[in-house]
């Protein structure tokens, strides 16, 4: 590729300078490099989060045992080989925070939105590469601050990942609410900045920078998912920033947004009056509920793409999938109250939230059925990515169904904050989203690093992780139904809960197995980056545009002109074609030759306009409203 | 601390210098510099803040004391896993050389899926069989719990059916449609009839569940017997207390400002509150004395500090020196004085608030005197109750799984939950075949270090008489005077109270 050609091709916003180490690998503005940075930071954070979960699982399974290794690892928090109760809660809190925000929001959405939005839409880069770089570095800073908070003398934040005040506001109530909590709030504030910078970028790129012929209704479902995710993030994260800000004020400047009528042992009655701890919960869950879809939807988008490609079959119900995503997105903003049925809010309000919550089950069910219908009569290639996608569908079903129990206010009285909840969300948004992330990594690794990952290790990784995830989370349903509360430091003191000790041991052993299974992945991932087999141009024989770019991943993505798009992304196994895929950028040469079989639709034959066409007046209107056109 | 900040400053300046030399290779792009500067400025205070408070590493680096056997086992296990995985690779290598397929991964994975499905379903069945007996279903100890359990059975019926069918379909499709190079996948995009069916059917089922859930929830939360007896349940770090109304059948008012060592629930009772005011006044006086002598004590601390430095004790006793230094710094910087002022101000506010309440005869209406504060809860079978929840410090949640009851206890927002126990403790023991069984109320909202052991026993007795006998053994908040004269007016109350003793709790 000559520099001149590049220059002629893309206009002013790309420079053809020779990049130094720092501008190429550190403060990079190339979306592919930023996605790699997000991914690797996410993996490291994920390891920390997983390690923490193993530590507290050890405590839950063998509360009376002493592990010398804990003292080595944790110092004063692991005196005599036992985890300190305060640090146990710190572990629970930081595990939740890391997994929800740093791994499954930034690690998943940050990686794949950055990688795929420009590549699958046919853009040279993001709308604002500079903002994109800032987004990563704010995320990095935020991660650094959060990890620092683990090492402060009074311990990390330990009020649960939801950090409900007054516990999180009063240093005297729990030591972790001192400096640890301050750092947590700083980290989250930085994280929100990062997430907003990213989200605005994704939205504007999707709306403005699609290539010729890439109308909205020809976008791969991944992009639709990222698009809705970004909108959710942009609308809901500022509310969390507000909530965090009020909490900072309450903690440091003596305001009473969340505090009222409090007497503390050793201090006396506090002056704060008139605030409400429940206000925080409303603000938090106004983000918190969309947040679970921010986590899940990119995983669903990735799964749609991977399943369609590897089933060699068009995704079933493309439009239905988009409408479901849209429905889920809209509904997710008006159901936050189902996290608060038993806070003492008006029972009628509880009923309203219950009805709205259970409505979400309908679009979710449609999505699950659509995945099944896509597999039906397909020709399935079991790449590791495909297996992880199938695993996601399995988790999505088994975890999603228990949402019907918890969304029901009456049953929530019994199940709230029990292990049933732990089982539910770890399956449906924890495991499912992580599996979506793994599917994405295995599928787009050739695009990210130009190398192939080892399939055999991938299969091992999948089956061990899949089995251990079910072994860990499935028995928890039963514990929850028996009324075992979550976030307990040990269960041996209560006879009713002590009968579950054998299950707790099983869960811990399965969790350790799951943790070990990640060695397959880590080895495979880092080894393949350097020593992996060189990737071919289109290793999965996929239709989408990213596979038309050079394997090396050049700055500006395509050496010459950006390809034009002629059809939707899922035209696999078209009866009129010999090969079982038909890339989006190849023009139609001939009309279909073979007659369509019964019950099957004819391939679209309409002439594709060469110019970019807005899919509908609707999106044009959105663009005008946003001032983007 | 000072060294670190100086170092950080120099480092930042150094970076600025470097940037001028265009080391980043980006000419005329001041955005980079600005970004770097912003990040530098943001990073510095945060890490300095943290650096001052970082945990010291384990005192000695002593690998001998490490748990080497565990580490070794861990490393070995990882190695074995990797070796197994690599051996499969050798298999694929021989495939390449010989040209024969040894392992068809498509078949292996398809079969693995089927095996997983079968073993998994057996596992689900096994789990239900062995752990089913621990589930608190169909065994509710409260009246509303039965409707809640039936709600559960309906939901379970629908979801379990969907779960089994869809999971079977998923793994069956995985097996049936595994890759075959001679076959082509079907080509279709959607099927309106199918899609309408699987949208409408879940919608109908959910409508049913929503309506049922709505009526169950509304009944539990709003259909409350007017004759219910009120019991106050008070949550604090880390325990519970219950308050029964005395002979007047009325719970006295309470307020967090009235809480003291002798009045743990803060009930509005004259003598306890007056003694609290005296206590607070005494504390304020003490604090003011300390404040007045602050100059002298800083001199003392300074002498101590100098002695530590001059004799080299600061090196030989680093821990003590560190503590002393921080106290000394607090004194010098005025932080200690500000803290004292804050405490005095807070106590004065409390006194002012109490004084305002004391004028209010609705708060101090004398009903709290005969209230009984207990450390266990005793209920009568088939009698409706309202639990009135209050929290002292942080949010707690009163969870009674056997009674299917849960409600958060929120500081500053009284909550309540109404229910009727329908099983006595004895009956529950008989049905569970466990002579030591007891009902408990647990804390179910993360609330601090001892959250996991915050519970209060609930005993359900069969008859009102048993309950009365128990209640008689509990002491009222203010023990009645020896004379049987019943006081009538609030003024007479306060005189009577002065003779009574305040129950210590």
């Amino acid at each position: 590729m000559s520099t001149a050609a590049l220059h002629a091709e893309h206009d002013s916003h790309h420079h053809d300078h020779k990049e130094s180490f720092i501008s190429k690998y550190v403060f990079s503005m190339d979306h592919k490099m930023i996605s790699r940075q997000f991914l690797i930071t996410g993996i490291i954070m994920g390891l920390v989060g997983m390690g923490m979960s193993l530590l507290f699982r050890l405590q839950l399974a063998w509360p009376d045992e002493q592990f010398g290794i804990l003292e080595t690892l944790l110092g004063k928090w692991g005196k005599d080989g036992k985890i300190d109760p305060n640090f146990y809660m710190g572990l629970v809190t930081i595990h939740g925070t890391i997994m929800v925000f740093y791994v499954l929001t930034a690690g998943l959405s940050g990686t794949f939105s950055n990688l795929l939005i420009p590549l699958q839409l046919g853009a040279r880069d993001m709308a604002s590469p500079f903002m994109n770089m800032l987004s990563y570095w704010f995320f990095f800073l935020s991660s650094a601050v959060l990890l620092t908070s683990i090492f402060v003398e009074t311990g990390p934040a330990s009020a649960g990942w939801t950090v409900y005040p007054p516990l999180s506001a009063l240093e005297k109530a729990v030591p972790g609410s001192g400096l640890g909590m301050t750092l947590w709030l700083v980290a989250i504030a930085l994280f929100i900045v990062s997430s907003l910078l990213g989200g605005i970028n994704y939205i504007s790129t999707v709306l403005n920078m699609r290539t010729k012929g890439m109308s909205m209704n020809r976008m791969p479902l991944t992009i639709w998912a990222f698009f809705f995710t970004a909108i959710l993030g942009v609308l809901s994260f500022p509310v969390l920033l507000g909530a965090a800000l009020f909490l900072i004020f309450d903690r440091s400047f003596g305001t009473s947004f969340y505090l009222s009528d409090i007497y503390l042992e050793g201090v006396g009655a506090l002056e704060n009056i008139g605030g409400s701890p429940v206000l925080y919960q409303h603000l938090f869950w106004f983000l918190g509920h969309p947040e679970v879809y921010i986590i899940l939807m990119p995983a669903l988008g990735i799964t749609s793409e991977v399943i369609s490609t590897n089933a060699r079959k068009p995704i079933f119900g493309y439009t239905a999938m988009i409408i479901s995503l849209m429905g889920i997105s809209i509904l997710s903003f008006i159901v936050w109250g189902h996290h608060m049925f038993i806070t003492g809010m008006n029972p009628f309000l509880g009923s309203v939230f219950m009805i709205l919550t259970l409505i979400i089950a309908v679009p979710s069910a449609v999505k699950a059925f659509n995945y099944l219908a896509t597999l039906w009569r397909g020709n399935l290639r079991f790449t590791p990515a495909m297996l992880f996608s199938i695993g996601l569908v399995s988790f999505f079903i088994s975890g999603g169904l228990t949402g019907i129990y918890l969304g029901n206010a009456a049953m929530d009285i019994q199940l709230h904050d029990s292990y049933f909840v732990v089982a539910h969300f770890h399956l449906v948004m924890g495991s499912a989203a992580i599996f979506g992330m793994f599917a994405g990594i295995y599928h787009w690794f050739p695009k990210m690093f130009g190398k192939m990952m080892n399939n055999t290790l991938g299969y091992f990784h999948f089956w061990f992780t899949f089995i251990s995830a079910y072994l860990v989370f499935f028995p928890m349903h039963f514990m929850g139904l028996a009324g075992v509360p979550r976030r307990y430091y040990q269960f041996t003191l209560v006879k009713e809960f002590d009968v579950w000790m054998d299950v707790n041991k099983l869960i811990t052993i399965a969790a350790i197995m799951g943790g070990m299974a990640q060695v397959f992945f880590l080895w495979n991932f880092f080894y393949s980056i350097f020593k992996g087999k060189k990737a071919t141009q289109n290793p999965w024989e996929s239709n989408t545009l990213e596979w038309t770019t050079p394997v090396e991943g050049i700055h500006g993505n395509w050496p010459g002109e950006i390809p034009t798009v002629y059809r939707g992304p899922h035209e696999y196994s078209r009866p009129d074609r010999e090969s079982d895929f038909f890339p989006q950028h190849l023009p139609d040469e001939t009309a279909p030759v073979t007659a369509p079989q019964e019950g099957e639709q004819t391939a679209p034959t309409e002439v594709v306009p060469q110019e970019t066409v807005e899919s509908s007046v609707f999106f044009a209107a959105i663009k005008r409203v946003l001032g983007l056109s | 601390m000072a060294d670190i900040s100086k170092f950080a400053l120099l480092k930042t300046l150094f970076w600025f210098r470097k940037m001028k030399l265009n080391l980043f290779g980006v000419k005329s792009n001041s955005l980079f510099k600005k970004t770097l500067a912003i990040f530098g400025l943001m990073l510095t205070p945060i890490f300095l803040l943290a650096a001052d408070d970082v945990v010291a590493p384990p005192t000695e680096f002593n690998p001998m004391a490490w748990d080497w056997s565990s580490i070794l086992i861990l490393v070995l296990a990882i190695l074995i896993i990797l070796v197994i995985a690599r051996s499969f690779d050798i298999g694929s290598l021989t495939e390449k050389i010989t040209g024969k397929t040894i392992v068809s991964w498509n078949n292996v994975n398809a079969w693995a899926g089927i095996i997983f499905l079968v073993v998994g379903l057996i596992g689900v069945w096994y789990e239900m069989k062995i752990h089913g007996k621990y589930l608190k279903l169909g065994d509710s100890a409260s009246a509303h719990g039965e409707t809640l359990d039936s709600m559960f059975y309906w939901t379970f019926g629908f979801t379990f059916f969907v779960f089994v069918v869809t999971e079977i379909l998923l793994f069956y499709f995985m097996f049936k449609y595994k890759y075959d190079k001679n076959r082509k996948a079907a080509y279709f995009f959607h099927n309106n009839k199918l899609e309408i069916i699987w949208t409408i059917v879940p919608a109908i089922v959910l409508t049913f569940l929503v309506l049922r859930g709505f009526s169950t929830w509304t009944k539990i939360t709003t259909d409350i017997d007017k004759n219910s007896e009120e019991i106050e349940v008070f949550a604090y770090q880390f325990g519970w207390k219950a308050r029964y109304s005395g002979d007047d059948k009325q719970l006295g008012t309470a307020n967090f400002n009235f809480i003291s060592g002798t009045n743990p629930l803060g009930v509005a009772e004259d003598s306890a509150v007056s003694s609290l005011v005296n206590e607070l006044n005494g504390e304020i006086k003490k604090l003011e004395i300390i404040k007045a002598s602050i100059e002298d004590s800083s001199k003392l601390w300074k002498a101590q500090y100098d002695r530590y430095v001059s004799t080299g004790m600061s090196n030989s006793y680093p821990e003590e020196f560190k503590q002393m230094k921080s106290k000394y710094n607090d004194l010098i910087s005025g932080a200690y004085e500000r803290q004292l002022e804050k405490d005095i101000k807070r106590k004065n506010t409390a006194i002012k608030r109490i004084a305002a309440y004391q004028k209010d005869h609705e708060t101090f209406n004398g009903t709290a005197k005969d209230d009984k504060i207990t450390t266990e809860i005793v209920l009568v079978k088939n009698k409706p109750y309202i639990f009135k929840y209050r929290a002292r410090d942080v949010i707690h949640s009163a969870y009674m799984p056997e009674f299917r009851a849960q409600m958060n206890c929120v500081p500053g927002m009284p909550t309540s939950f109404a229910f009727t126990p329908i099983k006595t403790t004895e009956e529950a023991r008989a049905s569970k075949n466990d002579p030591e069984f007891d009902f408990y109320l647990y804390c179910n909202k993360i609330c601090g270090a001892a959250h996991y052991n915050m519970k209060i026993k609930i005993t359900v007795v069969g008859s009102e008489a048993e309950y009365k006998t128990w209640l008689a053994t509990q002491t009222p908040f203010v023990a009645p005077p020896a004379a049987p004269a019943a006081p009538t007016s609030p003024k007479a109350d306060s005189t009577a109270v002065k003779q009574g003793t305040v129950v210590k709790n």
Side-chain angles (χ1 to χ4, degrees):
Chain A
M1 166 203 69
S2 76
T3 321
L6 233 183
H7 233 304
E9 178 47 38
H10 47 127
D11 346 316
S12 55
H13 61 281
H14 285 289
H15 311 270
D16 57 332
H17 53 76
K18 229 180 155 214
E19 289 170 301
S20 72
F21 178 81
I22 286 180
S23 68
K24 188 170 179 195
Y25 292 106
V26 184
F27 293 102
S28 170
M29 295 206 271
D30 184 87
H31 70 102
K32 297 185 290 299
M33 181 54 69
I34 293 172
S35 85
R36 274 174 255 179
Q37 290 174 326
F38 265 111
L39 179 60
I40 290 174
T41 317
I43 288 176
I44 292 168
M45 291 304 272
L47 284 177
V48 175
M50 191 189 70
M52 288 180 154
S53 72
L54 294 183
L55 287 181
F56 61 69
R57 274 315 319 176
L58 272 186
Q59 162 63 27
L60 288 174
W62 294 284
D64 303 321
E65 208 88 1
Q66 296 186 340
F67 298 94
I69 194 168
L70 288 183
E71 195 166 2
T72 316
L73 273 175
L74 305 176
K76 75 162 184 176
W77 299 114
K79 274 242 162 69
D80 306 325
K82 285 194 68 173
I83 295 177
D84 180 87
N86 276 317
F87 193 66
Y88 172 84
M89 294 200 309
L91 286 176
V92 173
T93 305
I94 303 296
H95 164 76
T97 311
I98 285 182
M99 287 305 192
V100 169
F101 292 115
Y102 292 81
V103 181
L104 294 175
T105 304
L108 177 58
S109 189
T111 305
F112 292 106
S113 297
N114 267 317
L115 179 74
L116 295 179
I117 289 178
L119 284 177
Q120 290 195 331
L121 291 182
R124 296 282 179 203
D125 204 315
M126 282 286 177
S128 167
F130 181 71
M131 259 165 72
N132 211 16
M133 178 195 79
L134 275 187
S135 162
Y136 172 73
W137 283 102
F138 270 102
F139 168 61
F140 180 81
L141 194 60
S142 166
S143 313
V145 173
L146 190 79
L147 291 180
T148 312
S149 84
I150 303 168
F151 298 98
V152 299
E153 188 150 14
T154 45
S158 47
W161 78 275
T162 53
V163 296
Y164 283 178
L167 188 62
S168 61
L170 306 169
E171 206 174 327
K172 288 270 165 36
V174 68
S177 294
L179 182 60
M181 188 63 210
T182 308
L183 290 175
W184 192 93
L185 286 167
V186 171
I188 289 299
L190 290 172
F191 182 87
I192 293 168
V193 173
S194 150
S195 163
L196 291 179
L197 286 169
I200 291 166
N201 225 339
Y202 307 149
I203 295 172
S204 39
T205 311
V206 170
L207 289 179
N208 287 322
M209 300 184 59
R210 304 189 304 278
T211 183
K212 271 184 207 165
M214 180 63 86
S215 58
M216 294 290 269
N217 54 14
R218 280 188 192 153
M219 295 197 311
L221 282 170
T222 36
I223 305 299
W224 274 107
F226 298 147
F227 180 55
F228 285 124
T229 305
I231 292 175
L232 285 189
V234 167
L235 291 180
S236 65
F237 267 114
V239 180
L240 181 68
L241 189 61
L245 217 59
F246 288 161
L247 190 52
I248 291 171
F249 270 70
D250 271 9
R251 287 165 49 81
S252 309
F253 306 112
T255 56
S256 306
F257 289 107
Y258 306 134
L259 305 177
S260 185
D261 295 25
I262 293 166
Y263 175 94
L264 272 182
E265 188 80 59
V267 178
L270 301 189
E271 286 169 302
N272 307 72
I273 239 175
S276 166
V278 178
L279 169 66
Y280 173 84
Q281 298 183 21
H282 279 290
L283 292 175
F284 181 87
W285 287 115
F286 186 81
L287 156 93
H289 200 77
E291 171 66 21
V292 308
Y293 291 103
I294 290 173
I295 285 172
L296 186 60
M297 288 202 314
L300 293 175
I302 288 170
T303 302
S304 305
E305 188 58 36
V306 171
I307 284 190
S308 175
T309 304
N310 288 303
R312 316 306 298 163
K313 192 164 168 288
I315 190 90
F316 187 89
Y318 176 81
T319 322
M321 288 293 223
I322 295 168
I323 292 171
S324 305
L325 282 176
M326 202 187 290
I328 290 173
S329 305
I330 293 168
L331 284 170
S332 74
F333 273 106
I334 44 175
V335 297
W336 78 90
H338 68 224
H339 298 271
M340 302 168 58
F341 284 139
I342 55 149
T343 48
M345 67 180 185
N346 188 326
F348 180 70
L349 198 58
S351 325
V352 174
F353 278 124
M354 169 174 75
I355 292 165
L356 293 170
T357 301
L358 292 190
I359 292 175
I360 288 195
V362 177
S364 307
V366 168
K367 282 196 85 77
F369 289 134
N370 280 355
Y371 286 133
L372 287 177
T374 308
L375 293 176
W376 180 55
R377 295 177 64 195
N379 202 7
L380 313 185
R381 293 177 179 177
F382 296 120
T383 60
M386 179 66 165
L387 289 175
F388 275 103
S389 299
I390 290 172
L392 178 143
V393 176
S394 174
F395 286 139
F396 184 59
I397 292 169
S398 47
L401 283 171
T402 49
I404 297 175
Y405 299 64
L406 293 165
N408 189 322
M411 275 189 283
D412 192 61
I413 295 173
Q414 169 76 355
L415 297 174
H416 189 91
D417 267 349
S418 72
Y419 262 84
F420 196 84
V421 180
V422 180
H424 163 71
F425 73 75
H426 273 105
L427 282 178
V428 80
M429 82 175 206
S431 305
I434 276 281
F435 270 46
M437 189 167 165
F438 281 135
I441 293 171
Y442 280 104
H443 195 76
W444 282 290
F445 191 87
K447 200 74 264 168
M448 292 184 108
F449 297 99
K451 301 280 172 61
M452 301 296 288
M453 279 173 93
N454 182 317
N455 273 358
T456 321
L457 285 173
Y459 296 136
F460 273 87
H461 176 215
F462 168 75
W463 283 110
F464 276 108
T465 313
F466 189 53
I467 291 166
S468 57
Y470 262 122
L471 278 178
V472 168
F473 300 120
F474 205 82
M476 285 187 186
H477 290 115
F478 293 84
M479 291 172 73
L481 288 171
V484 180
R486 69 194 274 210
R487 288 170 177 162
Y488 265 33
Y489 169 65
Q490 73 183 54
F491 291 115
T492 44
L493 298 183
V494 180
K495 194 164 54 95
E496 287 283 279
F497 307 150
D498 195 30
V499 295
W500 293 94
M501 279 318 286
D502 52 346
V503 179
N504 269 320
K505 281 177 190 144
L506 169 80
I507 291 175
T508 301
I509 291 166
I512 292 172
M513 186 175 108
M516 301 267 255
Q518 305 319 306
V519 175
F520 290 122
F521 170 71
L522 291 173
W523 173 270
N524 200 352
F525 184 82
F526 288 107
Y527 183 84
S528 305
I529 289 179
F530 301 105
K531 296 261 172 93
K533 208 169 72 185
K534 201 167 179 309
T536 50
Q537 174 88 15
N538 190 355
W540 317 118
E541 303 183 310
S542 180
N543 281 348
T544 37
L545 278 187
E546 76 269 28
W547 303 107
T548 60
T549 62
V551 181
E552 297 80 30
I554 54 163
H555 197 57
N557 293 341
W558 283 271
E561 207 178 320
I562 301 175
T564 306
V565 165
Y566 296 95
R567 71 191 65 73
H570 302 121
E571 304 251 337
Y572 292 100
S573 303
R574 232 166 98 151
D576 59 331
R577 286 188 52 96
E578 202 170 307
S579 72
D580 61 357
F581 68 116
F582 197 4
Q584 278 184 290
H585 69 285
L586 294 184
D588 280 308
E589 288 143 6
T590 50
V593 188
T594 49
Q597 288 163 30
E598 205 178 348
E600 290 168 357
Q601 290 205 345
T602 47
T605 51
E606 90 258 35
V607 184
V608 179
Q610 297 293 309
E611 296 299 312
T612 309
V613 183
E614 283 307 327
S615 63
S616 66
V617 186
F618 174 60
F619 289 112
I622 288 184
K623 279 175 75 171
R624 219 167 295 129
V625 169
L626 294 170
L628 294 167
S629 60
Chain B
M1 178 82 184
D3 297 343
I4 298 173
S5 54
K6 209 187 276 173
F7 175 72
L9 200 70
L10 281 174
K11 193 83 188 162
T12 324
L13 284 176
F14 177 68
W15 276 77
F16 277 119
R17 285 279 299 276
K18 267 193 156 177
M19 273 183 288
K20 270 189 195 154
L21 299 171
N22 281 324
L23 263 190
F24 298 111
V26 190
K27 279 173 207 164
S28 72
N29 194 346
S30 63
L31 279 176
F32 266 121
K33 293 174 192 169
K34 279 180 192 162
T35 323
L36 268 180
I38 290 168
F39 277 120
L41 287 177
M42 284 167 99
L43 263 168
T44 323
I46 292 161
F47 284 111
L48 286 183
L49 194 69
D52 212 24
D53 204 14
V54 167
V55 182
T59 43
E60 262 178 87
F61 180 76
N62 183 10
M64 294 299 284
W66 292 2
D67 192 357
W68 276 107
S69 57
S70 319
I71 297 173
L72 219 71
I73 291 171
L74 212 72
V75 171
L76 266 178
I78 290 169
L79 277 178
I80 290 170
I81 291 172
L82 281 176
V83 166
I84 295 173
R86 295 305 292 179
S87 68
F88 277 91
D89 267 8
I90 295 167
S92 69
L93 205 68
T94 40
E95 271 175 34
K96 238 184 234 160
I97 295 165
T98 56
K100 277 182 207 159
T101 316
I102 300 172
V103 186
S104 160
W105 280 105
N106 264 310
N107 285 331
V108 172
N109 282 312
W111 275 106
I114 288 292
I115 293 167
F116 178 82
L117 175 70
V118 173
V119 174
L121 287 177
I122 292 171
V124 171
W125 170 80
Y126 178 75
E127 182 76 19
M128 280 182 181
K129 195 162 165 267
I130 59 162
H131 283 129
K133 65 179 173 195
Y134 295 128
L135 300 189
K136 296 183 186 357
L137 293 172
D139 190 22
S140 169
S142 68
H144 75 268
E146 287 171 348
T147 60
L148 209 149
D149 282 356
S150 97
M151 184 73 239
F152 176 85
Y153 284 127
W154 278 104
T155 314
F156 181 75
F158 286 121
T159 52
F160 193 69
F161 174 74
V162 176
F163 169 71
V164 172
V165 170
T166 47
E167 294 281 354
I168 288 178
L169 282 181
L170 179 66
F171 289 101
Y172 173 70
F173 287 166
M174 191 175 157
F175 179 75
K176 174 95 192 281
Y177 300 111
K178 59 180 178 289
Y179 191 71
D180 176 358
K181 62 176 183 293
N182 301 321
R183 193 161 56 87
K184 215 169 181 182
Y187 182 75
F188 56 90
F189 286 83
H190 64 108
N191 181 327
N192 285 341
K193 207 195 271 172
L194 214 58
E195 281 174 271
I196 287 170
I197 289 174
W198 70 40
T199 311
I200 299 280
V201 171
I204 291 171
V205 172
L206 282 165
T207 311
F208 170 77
L209 291 176
V210 162
L211 289 177
R212 228 187 130 82
F214 180 76
S215 67
T216 314
W217 165 254
T218 313
K219 200 163 173 306
I220 293 171
T221 50
T222 56
D223 188 10
I224 296 165
D225 195 323
K226 284 208 177 71
N227 301 318
S228 305
E229 186 176 338
E230 289 186 3
I231 297 175
E232 182 178 85
V233 178
F234 184 77
Y236 59 94
Q237 280 180 321
F238 300 94
W240 300 90
K241 284 204 163 52
R243 181 157 65 113
Y244 285 79
S245 56
D247 303 327
D248 58 1
K249 298 277 168 223
Q250 213 181 334
L251 280 172
T253 50
N255 188 295
F256 78 106
N257 283 300
F258 306 155
I259 297 175
S260 70
T262 49
N263 186 3
L265 269 59
V267 297
E269 197 282 319
D270 290 295
S271 69
V273 174
S274 308
S275 70
L276 170 65
V277 172
N278 290 338
E279 217 175 279
L280 284 172
N281 277 321
E283 280 167 20
I284 290 172
K285 258 181 210 142
K286 264 189 221 160
L287 290 175
E288 266 163 358
I289 291 168
I290 296 174
K291 203 183 140 199
S293 65
I294 211 159
E295 228 165 89
D296 297 337
S297 50
S298 34
K299 270 178 204 156
L300 277 174
W301 279 101
K302 171 121 181 58
Q304 180 86 335
Y305 179 82
D306 290 342
R307 194 168 67 86
Y308 260 78
V309 175
S310 61
T311 56
M313 275 162 76
S314 51
N315 293 327
S316 40
Y317 300 99
E319 273 303 306
E320 286 82 351
F321 181 66
K322 199 180 155 197
Q323 281 177 11
M324 201 203 61
K325 199 174 152 191
S326 81
K327 261 185 201 163
Y328 171 71
N329 279 340
D330 279 358
L331 271 169
I332 296 296
S333 64
Y336 185 64
E337 195 175 354
R338 281 198 296 277
Q339 185 60 43
L340 284 177
E341 273 164 12
K342 250 188 183 168
D343 285 351
I344 293 171
K345 187 171 156 254
R346 198 183 59 238
K347 287 183 201 260
N348 275 323
T349 316
I351 292 173
K352 250 183 250 161
R353 282 184 188 158
I354 292 171
Y357 279 116
Q358 273 174 324
K359 285 180 200 141
D360 177 12
H361 289 292
E362 269 183 36
T363 310
F364 285 85
N365 55 8
T367 48
K369 270 191 316 158
D370 57 350
D371 288 354
K372 293 178 171 180
I373 297 171
T374 64
T375 49
E376 70 171 313
I377 299 174
V378 175
L379 306 175
V380 182
K381 185 183 163 181
N382 292 334
K383 189 172 158 186
Y385 287 95
I386 297 182
F387 277 17
K388 297 270 180 190
Y389 295 115
R390 271 199 311 136
R392 189 184 73 179
D393 27 42
V394 299
I395 301 177
H396 302 272
S397 185
Y399 184 36
M400 297 177 275
E402 298 284 343
F403 297 101
R404 310 286 186 274
Q406 182 168 207
M407 182 52 71
N408 285 3
C409 314
V410 187
M413 191 181 96
T415 53
S416 64
F417 194 94
F419 71 103
T420 310
I422 53 164
K423 251 187 196 174
T424 66
T425 301
E426 288 304 322
E427 283 165 3
R429 281 175 184 174
S431 77
K432 283 177 196 292
N433 207 6
D434 175 6
E436 280 164 18
F437 173 81
D438 272 312
F439 295 124
Y440 277 99
L441 185 155
Y442 305 100
C443 181
N444 196 18
K445 185 66 81 190
I446 187 166
C447 67
H451 167 57
Y452 65 102
N453 198 18
M454 180 174 160
K455 55 186 195 280
I456 182 170
K457 191 163 104 177
I458 301 175
T459 310
V460 183
V461 296
S463 67
E464 191 76 24
E466 277 175 82
Y467 163 71
K468 286 264 159 65
T469 335
W470 170 79
L471 200 61
T473 63
Q474 304 294 314
T475 4
F477 188 68
V478 178
T488 43
S489 71
K491 276 193 180 170
D493 272 3
S494 56
T495 48
V497 161
K498 271 170 197 159
Q499 292 153 5
T501 49
V502 176
V503 182
K504 291 213 173 187
N505 243 304

